[in-house]
């Protein structure tokens, strides 16, 4: 189902990825490819292993079996970015916001001038109008998560992973951040993978939605999202969006009903 | 300024109660001199006597043992905290000696270090170091997992994770440990000055005044010791506010 992408176009190839918790398989031989420049979102029932999948791909969690290759290289050799759900615990509160964004570049030993150029480019791209010389705890949740996104993008990652990036924010902030992020990712042709438990967000921010079943997770549908960018609030009302959402919802309810499983 | 009024009222109330007890002759005047007499004797001890020198000596010993304790406790605590299994292995020993009254160790340290300065400083440093080590290790072990993962995913190796994340994560707890450590060091130094061959220090002044029935001076020296402990605590609270501005936010 996912082998349709030619190897040269794939930024990430996942083959036979498996993981079990206490003998219970979460993933059993999962294959997927992420096309360069695409935003892929993964959607499925609660506990289906979405976060496990993204964490294994990003190298935060060891897989039991299988491989994740970034253009033929392992995650340790690749340059990736990761945005955590909990920005409060992901940013370093002892560093000012700007230093948080500079941190990965300094870690890579980039010269000072280049670090500053990159920071300025990010500020321009995201049209940041708030003061980055403040500490994260002095900022709103939306501003903190924007700083997290800028930090993840600072190194110009080959793949950006986003784990429920907006789920701790209010709807108004989510809408504006989602639109901003979608625009910047598309303008810079960033390859990204999003995990979200919000179907609307999964569709609005992606070029392709993978629908997963309950564990062990299988890909039951691979839904293209050919909606034009940039996407704003009006996109959510377009007939095309509604049709995609209906298709996803049908697959979702069918897959949830198909495997009656005791609620754990 | 308004914040200063309630504690001041409390202090005035305490002195008033004391004065009332003196006026009501609740205790022998030799054992309980009036606040004014105590203040006069204490002032005299500062001006013509050795109380100033005693305070300086106690501060010197406390600071020296605290510095030793910090130099040992912080690096060792951070290193043990970063290797949680290793810490679990030594935790019992640390907890045991942390719970042992330091005064019970005086004889042992007298044997090891003799009757000079070294013993007082060594016992105080030993007690304070264990408190600081314990807090530093727990600070590191309680580091936010997400922050460590975030650094790792950005490419930080084990050493950078330690210096860029774990030490900072532990800093609030390290400063709490240092505050407790300096208070403990003062307690041990004052007790040591009383009982192990001292010729100076606040502890020595208190016990001397008691033996010579100089009650005014005895109370005065006790208050000076109290003021010293309070000031050290306050100093570290201010340092915590200043250096770990992000704590609790």
């Amino acid at each position: 189902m996912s082998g349709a992408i030619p190897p040269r176009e794939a930024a990430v190839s996942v083959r036979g990825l498996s993981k079990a918790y206490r003998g219970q398989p979460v993933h059993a031989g999962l294959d997927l490819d992420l096309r360069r420049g695409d935003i892929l979102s993964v959607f499925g029932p609660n506990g289906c292993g979405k976060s496990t999948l993204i964490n294994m791909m990003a190298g935060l969690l060891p897989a039991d079996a299988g491989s994740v290759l970034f253009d033929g290289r392992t995650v340790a050799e690749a340059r990736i970015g990761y945005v955590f759900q909990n920005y409060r615990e992901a940013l370093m509160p002892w560093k000012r916001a700007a230093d948080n964004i500079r941190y990965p570049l300094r870690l890579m030993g980039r010269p000072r001038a280049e670090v500053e150029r990159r920071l300025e480019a990010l500020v321009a791209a995201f049209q940041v109008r708030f003061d980055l010389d403040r500490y994260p705890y002095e900022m709103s949740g939306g501003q903190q998560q924007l700083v997290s996104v800028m930090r993840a993008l600072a190194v110009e990652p080959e793949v950006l992973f986003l784990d429920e990036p907006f789920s701790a924010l209010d709807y108004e902030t989510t809408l504006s951040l989602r639109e901003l992020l979608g625009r910047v990712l598309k303008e810079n042709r960033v390859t990204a993978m999003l995990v979200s438990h919000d179907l609307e967000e999964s569709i609005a921010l992606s070029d392709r939605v993978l629908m997963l079943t309950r564990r062990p997770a299988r890909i039951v549908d691979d839904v293209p999202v050919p909606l034009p960018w940039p996407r704003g609030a009006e996109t959510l009302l377009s007939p095309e969006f509604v049709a995609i959402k209906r298709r996803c919802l049908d697959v979702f309810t069918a897959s949830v009903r198909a495997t009656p499983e005791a609620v754990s | 300024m308004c914040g200063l009024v309630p504690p001041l009222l409390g202090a005035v109330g305490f002195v008033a109660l004391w004065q009332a007890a003196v006026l009501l002759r609740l205790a022998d005047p030799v054992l309980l001199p009036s606040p004014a007499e105590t203040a006069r004797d204490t002032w005299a001890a500062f001006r013509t006597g050795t109380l100033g020198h005693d305070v300086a000596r106690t501060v010197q010993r406390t600071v020296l043992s605290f510095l030793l304790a910090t130099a040992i406790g912080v690096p060792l605590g951070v290193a043990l905290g970063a290797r949680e299994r290793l810490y679990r292995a030594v935790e019992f020993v640390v907890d045991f000696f942390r719970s042992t009254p330091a005064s019970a160790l005086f004889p042992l340290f007298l044997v090891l270090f003799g009757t000079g300065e070294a013993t007082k400083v060594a016992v105080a440093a030993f007690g304070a170091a264990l408190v600081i080590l314990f807090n530093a290790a727990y600070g590191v072990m309680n580091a936010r997992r997400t922050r460590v993962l975030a650094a790792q995913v950005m490419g930080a190796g084990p050493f950078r994770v330690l210096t860029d994340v774990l030490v900072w994560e532990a800093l609030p707890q390290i400063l709490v440990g240092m505050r407790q450590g300096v208070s403990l060091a003062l307690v041990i130094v004052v007790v040591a000055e009383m009982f192990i061959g001292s010729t100076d220090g606040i502890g020595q002044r208190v016990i001397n005044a008691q033996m010579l029935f100089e009650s005014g001076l005895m109370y005065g020296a006790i208050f000076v010791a109290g003021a010293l402990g309070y000031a050290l605590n306050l100093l570290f609270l201010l340092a915590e506010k200043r250096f770990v501005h992000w704590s609790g936010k």
Side-chain angles (χ1 to χ4, degrees), chain A residues 58 60 80 82 84 88-94 103-104 107 135 137 151, chain B residues 144 146-147 149-151 153-156 160 164-165 168-169 245-246 249:
Chain A
L60 295 178
I80 61 163
Y82 194 111
F84 292 83
R88 226 177 278 283
E89 293 196 353
L91 290 172
M92 300 177 184
W94 49 85
Y103 179 73
L107 202 56
Y135 290 98
Y137 57 78
R151 180 176 75 170
Chain B
R144 306 286 165 93
T146 309
R147 231 162 253 153
L149 287 177
V153 90
M154 288 187 279
R160 290 303 294 261
D164 294 352
V165 182
W168 292 90
E169 281 278 284
H245 53 86
W246 65 89
K249 283 175 184 155

